[in-house]
């Protein structure tokens, strides 16, 4: 678990922005060290690189734990620890990313059915929602329910639910902002 947390705490967005722009990404935009905020500073290529790295570290943590023979609750703990490390990295004052990319990477190895549900939900919402964060929030909200409907409730599904809860909790400011924006748009449309 400590190794998984430490891997998660390697925040590519923070270090990339620090290296290339000599700025602290936590003081810019949303204050997150994730791909979306790094992309605000450095552009689309940085977004793609940070997103890929964050996904890869989530997948790597679970893959390494499986290779070490972990399963059941221990494997679930590793899956959660890498996401927690990304969101609350000790070396960055517990101010990291929002966890979506790392959680998606975890699920590609930990629960392939959940990863497939993510693809099934995320890409269609790409056509209807303008913002990357909005698509991620819709996906994180729906994935646990769809996975539980499909597979029932077991240890792996509980971990999927926990990861979604952690990710949504970290995104509560975004959720409030989206809700306020939708209300304002509805008022303008009715005027």
């Amino acid at each position: 678990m400590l190794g998984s947390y430490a891997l998660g705490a390697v925040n590519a967005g923070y270090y990339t922005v620090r290296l290339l722009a000599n700025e602290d990404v936590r003081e810019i935009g949303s204050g997150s060290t994730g791909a979306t905020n790094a992309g605000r500073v450095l552009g689309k290529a940085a977004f793609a690189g940070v997103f890929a790295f964050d996904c890869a570290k989530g997948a790597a943590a679970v893959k390494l734990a499986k290779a070490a023979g972990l399963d059941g609750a221990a494997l679930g703990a590793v899956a959660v620890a890498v996401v927690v490390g990304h969101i609350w990295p000790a070396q960055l004052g517990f101010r990291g990313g929002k966890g979506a990319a790392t959680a998606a990477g975890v699920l590609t190895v930990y629960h392939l059915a959940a990863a497939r549900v993510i693809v099934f939900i995320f890409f269609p919402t790409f056509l209807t929602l303008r913002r990357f964060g909005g698509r991620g929030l819709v996906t994180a909200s729906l994935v646990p329910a769809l996975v539980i409907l499909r597979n029932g409730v077991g240890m792996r599904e509980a971990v999927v639910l926990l990861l979604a809860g952690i990710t949504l909790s970290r995104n509560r400011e975004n959720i409030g902002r989206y809700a306020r924006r939708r209300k304002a748009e509805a008022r303008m449309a009715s005027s």
Side-chain angles (χ1 to χ4, degrees):
M1 276 182 55
L2 285 175
S4 183
Y5 174 87
L7 179 58
V10 178
N11 275 263
Y14 174 82
Y15 295 111
T16 301
V17 172
R18 178 62 80 192
L19 180 68
L20 298 178
N22 197 28
E23 295 187 58
D24 186 341
V25 72
R26 297 170 301 165
E27 305 303 325
I28 300 167
S30 70
S32 168
T33 63
T36 301
N37 210 32
R40 283 186 186 109
V41 178
L42 298 173
K44 291 179 183 177
F47 166 82
V50 171
F51 186 84
F53 182 88
D54 289 346
C55 282
K57 73 182 178 185
V62 177
K63 201 169 262 212
L64 289 169
K66 279 186 168 185
L70 296 181
D71 63 0
L75 186 61
V78 165
V80 172
V82 71
V83 175
V84 167
H86 176 78
I87 295 173
W88 295 289
Q91 83 282 10
L92 296 178
F94 302 99
R95 291 178 55 209
K98 295 192 176 167
T102 305
V106 162
L107 293 178
T108 61
V109 179
Y110 183 75
H111 200 304
L112 188 56
R116 288 180 179 145
V117 170
I118 289 172
V119 172
F120 176 74
I121 295 171
F122 185 82
F123 289 106
T125 60
F126 183 82
L127 301 173
T128 58
L129 297 173
R130 295 172 288 184
R131 301 185 66 97
F132 180 81
R135 295 185 295 268
L137 294 174
V138 168
T139 303
S141 299
L142 294 176
V143 165
L146 294 174
V147 168
I148 289 169
L149 282 172
R150 183 178 183 269
N151 295 6
V153 179
M155 171 62 72
R156 292 183 330 132
E157 290 72 30
V159 170
V160 170
L161 183 60
L162 181 58
L163 290 174
I166 291 169
T167 303
L168 288 169
S169 168
R170 181 63 174 95
N171 281 279
R172 64 187 173 277
E173 291 174 13
N174 287 350
I175 294 167
R177 195 169 29 254
Y178 290 127
R180 287 188 298 276
R181 186 180 303 135
R182 294 291 174 225
K183 284 181 185 177
E185 289 171 357
R187 272 183 278 176
M188 291 186 77
S190 66
S191 297

